[in-house]
Amino acid sequence: MSKERARRRAVLEAERAARLNKAEQRRRRRIAVRRLVPKVKIGRTGKLFARRSRGQRSVIVLLVLLALMLIWLLVDTVAARIGLSALVIVATPALTVLVLDRRL
């Protein structure tokens, strides 16, 4: 009976060693994948227009205010004023990207 126990113990130890080996391989694989995958910063940079200089932001604000002022001075109906103002506010980020993000 002791030979049978010894054989069972050897089988259990071999199975345990195999499980530990697989776990170690998984750990090494995860470490290798983490090294290969680039780290991406998640979250905001803390500024509203992070890629713009102070001068660029000032020009953007002045142009938007000028456009809004012209709309409210030159357009007669209130509905048209509100619609055009909303259009200027919604289109400003897209136009900013189109105009200022070009590489020369």
Side-chain angles (χ1 to χ4, degrees):
M1 183 100 103
S2 65
K3 288 184 181 181
E4 183 66 26
R5 276 188 186 169
R7 192 174 61 80
R8 282 184 193 168
R9 181 175 285 157
V11 169
L12 289 175
E13 286 178 7
E15 289 174 353
R16 182 174 185 263
R19 280 194 312 271
L20 289 174
N21 191 18
K22 279 187 178 183
E24 181 64 21
Q25 286 176 348
R26 275 186 303 230
R27 188 184 69 81
R28 280 194 221 126
R29 193 176 314 123
R30 276 191 218 114
I31 290 172
V33 168
R34 281 188 192 132
R35 266 190 251 128
L36 293 175
V37 176
K39 293 179 183 170
V40 178
K41 285 181 125 182
I42 298 174
R44 300 187 68 167
T45 58
K47 292 182 181 177
L48 186 60
F49 295 104
R51 290 191 273 171
R52 311 280 170 248
S53 68
R54 182 174 292 191
Q56 288 174 331
R57 290 191 305 253
S58 300
V59 170
I60 293 167
V61 169
L62 288 174
L63 288 176
V64 168
L65 291 175
L66 178 67
L68 291 174
M69 187 177 72
L70 288 174
I71 288 170
W72 283 86
L73 288 175
L74 300 177
V75 177
D76 293 331
T77 63
V78 175
R81 288 177 180 174
I82 293 172
L84 288 172
S85 297
L87 179 68
V88 166
I89 291 170
V90 169
T92 297
L95 289 174
T96 301
V97 169
L98 286 174
V99 172
L100 294 179
D101 282 354
R102 290 193 178 164
R103 302 204 186 265
L104 299 176

